[in-house]
Amino acid sequence: MATSGRLLAMAAAVLAMALGSRALAEPDVYEGVKEAPGIVTGISKFPAGQAVYEANCAACHEVGVGRAPFRSILSHYSPEAIRKALTTGSMRAQGAALSEQDKVEVAQYITNRSFGSTSAAAEPLMCEGQAAQFDMAQTPAWTNWGIDNGGAHYVPADKAGLDAEAAETLKVKWAFGFPNANRARSQPALGAGALFVGSHDGTVYALDRETGCARWTFEGSAEVRTGIVLDGWEAGDETASPRVYFGEWSGNVYALDAKSGKQLWKVRADDHPAAVITGTPSLHGDTLYVPVSSLEEASAAAPDYECCSFRGSIVAYDVATGEEKWRTWMVGEPEQTGTTTAGVRTLGPSGVAVWTAPLIDAARGQLYVTTGDNYTNPTNELSDAIVALDLKTGAINWHFQATEGDAWNVSCVTPTAENCPEDAGPDFDFGAAPLLAKGSDGRDYVMAGQKSGIAYAVDPDTGELRWQHRAGRGGMSGGIHFGMAASKGRLFIPVSDLPDGQPSDFPLSPGIYAVDVATGNRLWSAPAPNPCEGRPGCVTGYGASIMATEDLVIAGSDDGFLRILDAGSGKLVAEFDTAREFDAVGGAKARGGAISGSGGAVLERGQLIVSSGYGFVSKMPGNLLLVLEAE
């Protein structure tokens, strides 16, 4: 069992980080904000909600335990959005223990607003005339989350339309503000003159790329964290009926008609109550490959929770019908392993969630996924691993395990630690998807970055380790978090390196690092600048997925800046501050914040499209989708 000293040290470190960052909320968001962003004092006008909060929520949200956002972050929500999160969204596992009235009361207390007091969200400006038409001559810029066939977030020069000289003249073409949102993290799909993107409140939009007006909207049941996947078609085929695919936070997977937004099918990827979809599905032929993750790691914080029973998996679906073709579990059936001191059963093995987009390797008939940790003992060999599966059957061809014995859940950073595994691991999930790239030696390498701060390269045929490179200190809050990029034999590694209170012999190293794909040797370093003075809630480092062209590396930062670096040297070419207010399409206002998560920035035909705002784990919130073009 983790020692109480370790737990207190971790909690103290998180609280110290909070104190250092001061209040994250705007001064007028609610009354009583003190030095620590999660701590609010004073008499509440919602005492019933305060009682629910203190009994069920405060232990995590007052000090930012695990991935719990501080209450100042939650205050940016409407009470309706808080209730939705507790009912169908990211907190539904915790909300299951509350009555409907409890959910209403605690939502009002957290936001200091009554239900019905929030202004109705501005309707998006709907397209008319030519802007409403889909141009089938414009085939999709890419299909899957990884953008190129190797998943390397690489855009060749003829499709990028942006060089270093032009990058210095980038200006806003249009801005879009997601209603009822405090984060923007869904990577858009581009095709037919449209931009398809999901949002925090569960709405999916088809926006005109020239003006930002909406061609259609679709309302799902929960937050869309995944990117949008778009079918291909023959250029100019007006009879084509492409689909868009995505997953949502409640564990559902959808297919919509890309021209109308009409729902074609919907399936729940896993019946476990804590199951979520956060990694973008991947499309190949007539099959959609869906990664399944969960929130049960956080559910374990409750001392009376029977921990743990979730099993991560990859599911293959028929794209036309949503019918399941095969499923591969990443961990075996859990069995009772004992009881806690509170008399609650413990279960294992469990966990091995798949947080990331699968990578398709058509030439080898394989797909690659990266996995998370076990939640309980016993651990298994597929946790914290790169795993290769057969595309047709789901059979596991090989695996490479980066960290053995990593059993961890959020109970480990709570005072009681009832559900914390004995000899708890470091929580070194893979949050970043794998990529496949060729080195200067002509060989292919599968590479993945881990929360440990280490990047690994393995043989795609055998899984044998070829090299590893430590770029950051790493930790629970992520070293390499959401996605690397590669071009011309170089791997570009973004490092966030938020402090997590754990001892380490490696310094915090937020920044961008380039290594040689063939050897893993360091080519250059670009430490993160620190523009955070005077920016409430600002932290440094690169928590978002990044992308590359032949000559540029494009990276959004947790400090709200979009930075463009020279791919050969790491020298800063240009930067753009997104953590401010913008005039948005339709006359509304939008505000950016931290650029984090798997959305990041994408580039095609001279348009640089940035998602900004990450009201999660106490980073700067925002609701901005920004389209930039060079003058």
Side-chain angles (χ1 to χ4, degrees), residues 270 272 292 309-313 329-334 349-352:
D270 192 318
H272 195 285
V292 185
S309 57
F310 173 77
R311 305 163 67 201
S313 64
W329 298 102
M330 296 290 111
V331 67
E333 289 274 7
S350 62
V352 198

Side-chain angles (χ1 to χ4, degrees), residues 15 17-40 70-73 75-76 532 534-538 618-621:
L15 183 57
M17 181 174 67
L19 288 164
S21 65
R22 303 184 66 86
L24 301 187
E26 297 289 343
D28 59 350
V29 169
Y30 59 82
E31 299 174 357
V33 178
K34 296 300 182 184
E35 294 296 318
I39 297 176
V40 179
F70 290 112
R71 182 145 55 103
S72 58
I73 291 291
S75 72
H76 285 259
C532 286
R535 296 170 78 92
C538 177
S618 296
K619 295 182 182 180
M620 292 186 293

Side-chain angles (χ1 to χ4, degrees), residues 331 348-350 352 373-383 401 403-408 421-423 425:
V331 67
S350 62
V352 198
D373 56 13
N374 290 103
Y375 300 161
T376 52
N377 286 317
T379 59
N380 75 328
E381 59 186 9
L382 297 183
S383 62
Q401 186 170 40
T403 304
E404 297 181 7
D406 187 6
W408 187 91
E422 185 176 354
D423 299 322

Side-chain angles (χ1 to χ4, degrees), residues 455-480:
Y456 298 89
V458 301
D459 186 303
D461 295 309
T462 66
E464 179 183 359
L465 179 66
R466 289 185 174 168
W467 56 257
Q468 65 183 59
H469 181 96
R470 187 167 191 179
R473 174 178 174 174
M476 288 189 300
S477 299
I480 306 168

Side-chain angles (χ1 to χ4, degrees), residues 48 87 169 186 223 351 386 475 479 598:
T87 303
T169 68
S186 172
E223 179 183 1
I386 306 170
S598 59

